[in-house]
Amino acid sequence: THANLGDDIIYSGTVAAATEGRHLGLPAIAVSLVNEGRFHYETAAQVARCLLENPHTLTLGPRSILNVNVPDVPWEELAGFCITRLGHRERAEGVVPVTCPRGKERYWIGAAGRGGDAGPGTDFYAISQKCVSITPVHTDMTRHAALPELKSWLEGLDGVEVVDQ
């Protein structure tokens, strides 16, 4: 699998699958190996099993899942499990134009950006310290704090009525 650190969760099929499970009323965990070419899938499997076999109940609330990222190291090298928040990536590299073997121009999407907000407490930082990153994610992406300012902004438009629901 591919890492689902920071903004990656917006595009992640793994997180989407866990979200669908949550919509079905099931507890859901998205587990990803931060694959660095060593392919320690057994570590990710052991982490998943450890979490799933926890005898204690975890109630995250509606529309919430766990996003788990596992460093690409043997189990014995894990430094521990860290409760984290999502970090943020820097801008991705630009699109790379290439010519295919048939002579047509094609474009490769550039590599993902490095962690821009990657300090202590973030998922990026936990992985850099060989820790399993566990982030509770709420799938309501509404920016609730911005709603009053948005309303004021819209009310400033001539001929527009803002209707409260």
Side-chain angles (χ1 to χ4, degrees):
T1 61
H2 189 273
N4 286 307
L5 300 167
D7 319 86
D8 298 345
I9 69 162
I10 295 169
Y11 312 102
S12 167
T14 306
V15 173
T19 301
E20 284 301 312
R22 192 78 211 156
H23 287 309
L24 295 173
L26 304 170
I29 302 174
V31 179
S32 302
L33 177 68
V34 182
N35 191 335
E36 295 177 349
R38 293 183 294 277
F39 308 106
H40 289 285
Y41 292 108
E42 68 281 354
T43 303
Q46 196 163 349
V47 166
R49 184 174 181 168
C50 180
L51 296 174
L52 293 171
E53 291 179 346
N54 186 333
H56 303 287
T57 301
L58 176 63
T59 305
L60 294 174
R63 301 182 72 183
S64 296
I65 64 169
L66 288 181
N67 183 48
V68 179
N69 282 282
V70 181
D72 193 4
V73 298
W75 174 265
E76 301 76 30
E77 291 183 24
L78 287 178
F81 286 50
C82 294
I83 299 168
T84 58
R85 67 176 175 83
L86 296 175
H88 178 73
R89 286 194 185 278
E90 291 179 354
R91 184 176 173 182
E93 293 180 20
V95 174
V96 179
V98 296
T99 303
C100 80
R102 293 190 177 106
K104 296 189 179 196
E105 190 168 23
R106 300 287 185 244
Y107 299 90
W108 286 94
I109 296 173
R114 294 177 311 201
D117 174 10
T122 67
D123 46 3
F124 287 98
Y125 187 79
I127 292 300
S128 75
Q129 301 301 304
K130 296 186 180 179
C131 284
V132 173
S133 165
I134 303 176
T135 308
V137 177
H138 187 68
T139 58
D140 177 0
M141 295 195 311
T142 305
R143 178 85 170 117
H144 293 274
L147 293 175
E149 183 177 345
L150 177 59
K151 182 178 180 184
S152 294
W153 181 72
L154 288 172
E155 287 172 342
L157 295 173
D158 287 334
V160 173
E161 181 179 348
V162 179
V163 179
D164 289 325
Q165 296 186 33

